[in-house]
Amino acid sequence: MRRVMSLWLPSWPIERRRRPSASRSASPANPVLVADWVGGRGIVTAVDPGLADSLTPGMALADARAMAPQAVVLNADPAGDAAALARLAAWCGRYSPWTAPDQPDGIWLDLTGAAHLSGGEHVLAEELIGRLKRFGLSARAAIAETPGAAWALAREGSAGIMAVPEGATRVALAPLPVRALRLAAETAELLDRLGLRRIGDLYKLPRPALVARFGFATAERLDQALGLLAEPLSPLPPAPIRSSHRRFAEPIQRPEDLAAATASLAEALCRRLAEAGAGARRLALNFYRLDGVVLTLEAGTAQASRDPRHLARLFAERLDRIEPDLGIEDMRLTALLVEPLGGEQAPLDGTGLGDGGADATLAALVDRLENRLGAGSVGRYRPRDSHIPERAAERVPALTTGAGGTPWQPDRLRPVRLLPRPEPIEATAPIPDDPPVQFRWRRRVHRVRAADGPERILGEWWRDPGEPALRDYYCVEDEEGRRFWLYRAGLHQAGTTPRWFLHGFFA
Amino acid sequence: MRKPFPRFEDGMSDDGYVELQVASNFSFLRGASHPDELVSEAVRLGHRAVALTDHNSLAGVVRAHQAAREHHCRFVPGCRLGLEDRPSLLLYPIDRAAYGRLCRLLTRGKRRAEKGDCRLTYADLREHGEGQIVVALPPERCDAGFRAFLDELARDFGDRAYLGAQHLYRGDDAKRLQRLSRLSEQSGLPMVALNDVRYHRPERRRLLDVMTAIREHCTVATAGLKLLANAERHLKTPTEMARLFRRYPEAIRRTGEIAARCRFSLDELRYEYPDESSDGLTPQQRLERLVAAGVRERYPEGVPDKVAALLRHELTLVAELNYAPYFLTVHDIVTFARSRGILCQGRGSAANSAVCYCLGITAVDPARLDLLFERFISAERNEPPDIDVDFEHERREEVIQHVYAKYGRERAGLAATVICYRARGAMREVGKALGLSADVVQRLAETVWGWSEEPIDDRRARELGFDPEDRTLRLALELAGELIGFPRHLSQHVGGFVITRGRLDELVPIENAAMPERTVIEWDKDDLDAMGLLKIDVLGLGMLTCIRRAFALIERHHGRRLDLATVPAEDAAVYDMLCNADSVGVFQVESRAQMSMLPRLKPRSFYDLVIEVAIVRPGPIQGDMVHPYLRRRDGKEPVEYPSEALREVLGKTLGVPLFQEQAMRIAMVAAGFSGAEADRLRRAMATFRRTGQIGNFRDKFIGGMIANGYPKDFAERCFQQIQGFGEYGFPESHAASFALLVYVSAWIKCHYPAAFAAALLNSQPMGFYAPAQIVRDARAHGVEVRAVDVNRSDWDATLEPVEGAAPALRLGLRQVRGLGEEPAQKLVQHRASGYRSPIELMLRAGLGKPVLVRLAEADALRSLGLDRRRALWAVKGLSDDALPLFEGLPPAARQRPEAEVRLPEMRLGEHVASDYAFLDLPLKSHPMALLRRRFAREGVVRAADLAHLDPESLVDVAGLVLVRQRPGSANGVIFATLEDETGVANIIVWPDAFERFRAELMGATLLLCRGRLQREGIVIHVIAERLWDLSNRLGELRDPEGTRPPYAPTELSVRSRDFH
């Protein structure tokens, strides 16, 4: 006999975000509202249980605000809710091999033949609900012969854990309101208007009359709940196996053998990754030594990869660090972090750096350099959207995709080298905004032979008040032909000596 | 060789520099200063002339022109023209003719584009190029294309073409200027110095950055290079500009040269009325003939001497000022409307003249009314007469299209309304641009109730739990404050037409309105006033539609023919009714504030109604004039005048100024203002951003009155009142016209309540009350109200004769929520001898199932023997494809046979809930009546009982929340209205109670209020001390078994009118 549990998390979008890492603004003292913004208008999508007396989902945020000004409003995140629910469903796998998220706020557990392992349905349900409570999640559960009945009872049944014995489904459902049948809202509304308010009211109706007015879907939901019609549920896919393993007949010691074994492990792993449509970003290679010691090498890739030669090479250069001692009897290669990676279709357009793994050779080179020099040691510059010179470029990992939305500004005169922080100089310049005639930098005097400027750049006022004020930049060339980028901080003011800085070099 | 041009006359400063490239905030979101700020700052910096060049627009030129006139500065109107096939350029007309061409050019570009856009090509420019000075604006890179463009300009514009050059502090300015100078030599276009001004002072850079972010739909922090790198786009002194262009003194000198060549001034624009002469008669002769004919019609028994004298006086004045064509134009429009059976009524200072009465423009008989002030037309001020005409709301479009058709789109256009940022919108946009979270932005914006112009201050922010020291928040508050009052876009005036004799599109550019078939000029009513352009307001008024419908019903069912002028005057029964505050549905006096004023004012004559209309307005209330007036009227306070001079001004209102005209007259008579000054004062009040000026006026006003011997507190109150008038000032001349409609609608309500209710229902949405209250009120007046029925109802509500009694009101199909007019009309058309079954409705009337469901839910199938629930079951069972196999058989045979199903009987509570849900009104009972037994047990009294309870006693009263209001003038006090089966109770919630019971007040559909009873005459209030939200009892009403989810607000949908 089939036994299905429906778990209902009535405040899921609220409570999942109230958990420890919740948003900064959501102090536990204040009740929380979740709202979605539709064309500039806020609609409440979930309400803290503490506010449920006066507020309901679907009302305008402005109304909710007027009634509960103390509430903290979070933006709705249905995708995040769904993903977290899927994770929670997977976690429920400890109670049943067969679980599935029931979007948007429930979980299915098929307990057929599984409940006794936890001491029976009631014990299982109580423990599950207790654990969820410790997570900060309120939940209700019901167990019945059909998913539909379990769903209905979890939501509309009496408080406490409901477990409907075999054969009692029809009776148990009869007093519940019709909306417990998972009907479309308008169908439930229509039934209500006709005075057909309880599921039991529907038992009496001639089937053709029911179908004619409420559609096949309604009849089907009723049949599913009563077990007259099978309802398959789609479970979560099992987690893919992400490691390859090899046990050697004879312990191995020679570096060539280690390398060959690594290569074959990589090939096996890559086959599995290919089946899962994934590529590895972080890998661990374990060596199980005869003396019980486990040695580990880790490696990372700049982009997801399942090229066995490339993966093997990431370790090959460091295999000499492994002391085989008496010999290695076992090796395991595990992908610690994987990302989706499409099929083996080589790009035809030959696009270069960073474009979705097109230039695999470059990616491989970057990986090798990074694995040798240390993570984060290979980078490139990318233009940023700012007038402030030191903010106009940023260093990003070498294979970061995309240009960041801003093109380089070739029309702007910018030095080849920009000092990490501008260095003070002493300069002599006619007022109010002529370039300096000479300046002293690091105890050397430079006479200016030619100059251009000023380029006037103002601080970004919306940042901190300490933001640099006005700068007038000049490009100057000294008598030896060296070119510098200088600036005067602030406008010239009578009675004060303006401060000058050197910010970069042109050659 | 180019001729040398004269230097700019009028003692220019030595540098001779004129700012020629100036964008104001009328270059929407591209300029961060008002035109007048730019002009006055330019003057302060020592400029003697300044131009305005907004993007494809002349919308700001009148304001700049006025400011320039005030500061004795020369103003050069122009614009920055964007071309689709060439770089942008600046354009300045040198004379009136060229200005006309510029207007036509912009009109062409705007008429062919979407609203707010302008699409022009170089060919268009060349066609209108005569007399225009053009300045080419160099693009980022001056390539060969630009070179060719300059040659083109040289060829087409000769010595009227220049090359602009800007010093923008971009580092390469020296090189750039050099390159441009070379280009100038090669192309022969002289180089002219520009400054690309976007704001008047550098401090506005932040606001411009914010506006850029708003325009680009990003935040300031992510706008990056879309922002300008520095704050140099401000007005600079001539000396500073000369320094920046020190190597090119000629470029500086040429700015003065261009300003000197542009001789055109907006003062040259002359308005001419459309030529209304015909048949060889001059307009004045024609007018006199029409008036003479009108006199015979209006006064068949001979004209009263008073009116005859008035007519002579007015016609002389009209002749003197040459206003006859204007009156003829209005007369023509009104005649057109009358020929189509469209009801209309004029208002405004000139509208209540004897001439207008005889022309049929107004129905207010000058014999019935002490004619208002001599302000009919003020000869010395040479201000055009003011006539607005209200037309039936639903048919105004016909009148508008008639005006377009008669005068043509080149000669008639609607005035613009400049839509400005208000506090709320400014806060929202600025907050978003500064990257504040949607939540915070929303919260900040919500703090502004209604349409306040006041920026949100620190105290307010703290109240809301924000830290005003938070930098971003402070910036947001500050910048939002600056943005308030900035124009956001141009919209169309509600109905102000400008009609000209010559081409309108040579006076001002015309663009498409958002509404189809409408064209709008770029100037708003203040601009038009400033330029002396005449505007005729063709307005829509729902009450006129309602009155016309009521007249038609009365004619049909009572055989009595009426119009606005023939409704019997001064009927005591009508005034009795109004004195009892029995005014639901009556024009203007149906609001709660008016209802509580009526019993205190006790109107007994037409002029009392004029006062009633004007007194419940911000002006008199803020000026604290209401109570003194009422006391004097009741004889509790002697009527005295502050001075003999003011006796004349205030005589009719017992010495208390109530009308806008009076306030202005006080400024003139008592405070020594000239007429023009008084007018400026009124305008300054309307425009909050000139708050700086209000201080000056205040000193002058109060000082002037004290100097003339008036008490200081009286002076202050008068000034406060003027402040209160602001934009919403209510002049006596308008009040008089409205009072007539008050009287007429009250008369109909008093004598023909069924016709009145039917007309009101058929004119919805309109007025203050929903159909539920209109129906309740009609029943209270003894009208039998009959339900909507498929075999009895038309689309509109109708009257059904009753043997030996007044007709009954049959609700129309329009009352069925969600039912369209088209299926309803089909139903009526195919009714023949009546429908006998739902399937007939489907087959004969061709109605779809969703329509039948609505009808069933509205309980409109009773005449088929089906109550609501059984009708719904039957209708739902009809199959959509109506069994074509059996076509030809009688309808009954075409139904699928079905077993009988017994549905539970529908309870009264369910019916009432469904009536609300599908008809918006309770027909079978009031929900409170069904709940009364329990409420009575709990000691809750009925609204009708309040009149008999002791004042100051503590009462519990409950009802459906009809209205929640928080008037701006009431210091945060909230007024709510609760309705039960006996009537309404008025609740007052003080701010401290509101804070405690906010959720209850704002969320409840059914509210229980415990409070102190207050009674003054028949005006009753309950001052709330505690509130409970009992909405769930409504849910129980519908579903006593509790199978439904906890009550949801949408369920029993009583629609309240709320203040947010």
Side-chain angles (χ1 to χ4, degrees), chain B residues 17-23 50-54 58 61 74-81 89-103 105-106 125 128-137 157 159-166 192-197 254-255 257-265:
Chain B
Y17 176 74
V18 176
E19 290 281 16
L20 285 178
Q21 186 181 13
V22 183
V50 63
L52 187 70
T53 50
D54 280 318
L58 295 174
V61 295
R74 252 208 72 195
F75 172 61
V76 181
C79 81
R80 178 195 162 118
L81 206 63
L89 41 75
L90 304 175
L91 205 70
Y92 314 90
I94 60 168
D95 53 21
R96 172 67 181 90
Y99 174 80
R101 278 187 287 275
L102 172 56
C103 290
L105 173 66
L106 288 171
L125 169 63
H128 297 83
E130 194 189 334
Q132 319 285 7
I133 287 181
V134 292
V135 177
L137 294 172
F157 290 86
D159 66 4
R160 284 180 284 109
Y162 294 81
L163 171 62
Q166 302 149 335
V192 53
L194 299 174
N195 187 22
D196 195 4
V197 173
R254 281 192 196 100
T255 60
E257 172 186 305
I258 289 178
R261 292 180 76 185
C262 293
R263 298 181 306 274
F264 170 68
S265 156

Side-chain angles (χ1 to χ4, degrees), chain B residues 604-620:
Chain B
R604 295 308 320 173
S605 72
F606 183 71
Y607 195 75
D608 291 343
L609 293 182
V610 178
I611 288 173
E612 173 77 35
V613 166
I615 201 169
V616 187
R617 304 272 164 186

Side-chain angles (χ1 to χ4, degrees), chain B residues 874-889:
Chain B
V875 163
K876 269 288 175 184
L878 294 174
S879 86
D880 289 310
D881 41 5
L883 308 177
L885 262 181
F886 304 98
E887 213 158 332
L889 293 179

